[in-house]
């Protein structure tokens, strides 16, 4: 992993969905509204049609792959993997069973364990390392037109001292949350 990616040093990120239907691409902006990275849906059109958007690649502005998020096919609880550009593990994300809340456990390859807890309906979450808050995620109004097209927008505030591997795991967990939200809305 490169320590000079455009996501390094960015402590406020806005993840803005830019496409819909057969893909879920998004732009990642900094606090000033400048695009600093892109998320692209990967996988064949046939697999996306039958299984949904299950693989995402986050790229630096120049197109260099930074990491991937994969929704692994499993029985039971949802599980996601965050991997580096060469497939090296970064984090495992597991949705926990919880009534009236969404709870996700994140195990980062460096030994950091994070707990993400919040409301899927209001899309407001906190990420904790033990009892210490390291990030927050809040859904932001994307405008009437974007809302009618089902496009989402999330603001992610990150602890400035967060190592890059943990930063990628946190951003990957926000993408996983969007997949969890999408699955929940399709189930209803």
């Amino acid at each position: 992993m490169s320590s000079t990616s455009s996501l390094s040093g960015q402590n406020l990120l806005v993840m803005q969905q830019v496409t819909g239907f057969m893909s879920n691409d998004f732009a990642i902006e900094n606090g000033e509204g400048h695009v600093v990275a892109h998320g692209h849906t990967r996988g064949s059109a046939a697999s996306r049609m039958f299984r949904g958007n299950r693989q995402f690649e986050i790229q630096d502005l120049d197109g260099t792959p930074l990491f991937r998020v994969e929704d692994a096919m499993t029985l039971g609880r949802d599980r996601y993997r965050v991997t580096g550009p060469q497939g090296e593990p970064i984090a495992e994300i597991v949705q926990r069973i919880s009534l009236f809340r969404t709870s996700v456990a994140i195990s980062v390859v460096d030994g950091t364990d994070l707990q993400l807890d919040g409301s899927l309906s209001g899309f407001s979450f906190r990420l904790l390392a033990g009892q210490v808050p390291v990030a927050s995620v809040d859904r932001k109004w994307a405008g009437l037109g974007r809302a009618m097209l089902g496009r989402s927008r999330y603001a992610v505030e990150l602890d400035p001292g967060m190592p890059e591997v943990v930063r990628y795991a946190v951003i990957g967990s926000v993408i996983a949350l969007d997949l969890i939200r999408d699955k929940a809305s399709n189930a209803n």
Side-chain angles (χ1 to χ4, degrees), residues 49-180:
M49 183 180 302
F50 294 107
R51 295 179 15 204
N53 301 321
R54 304 181 74 83
Q55 296 179 26
F56 297 89
E57 183 175 75
I58 309 308
Q59 298 177 346
D60 221 334
L61 285 178
D62 65 2
T64 302
L66 298 174
F67 62 95
R68 288 180 171 257
V69 178
E70 299 173 11
D71 180 0
M73 289 291 285
T74 59
L75 295 173
R77 297 182 287 177
D78 278 339
R79 295 181 179 273
Y80 303 86
R81 286 187 296 265
V82 180
T83 61
Q86 305 303 318
E88 64 276 16
I90 293 177
E92 292 286 330
I93 301 166
V94 179
Q95 183 178 10
R96 292 185 170 168
I97 307 290
S98 178
L99 295 174
F100 309 114
R101 311 263 318 146
T102 299
S103 182
V104 176
I106 305 155
S107 299
V108 185
V109 72
D110 73 349
T112 304
D113 288 321
L114 302 171
Q115 175 66 34
L116 187 146
D117 186 50
S119 162
L120 196 56
S121 61
F123 214 92
S124 178
F125 293 89
R126 289 182 353 159
L127 283 103
L128 303 170
Q131 298 300 315
V132 179
V134 295
S136 65
V137 182
D138 288 300
R139 188 174 203 166
K140 298 294 180 187
W141 177 248
L144 182 60
R146 289 187 177 276
M148 290 179 70
L149 292 172
R151 296 183 182 167
S152 303
R153 181 179 175 156
Y154 312 106
V156 183
E157 288 189 55
L158 303 163
D159 181 307
M162 186 179 292
E164 186 169 77
V165 68
V166 176
R167 181 176 297 265
Y168 288 177
V170 168
I171 295 167
S173 70
V174 174
I175 295 167
L177 279 175
D178 194 56
L179 291 170
I180 291 167

Side-chain angles (χ1 to χ4, degrees), residues 26-27 33 53 169 181:
F26 51 91
N53 301 321
R181 180 193 61 80

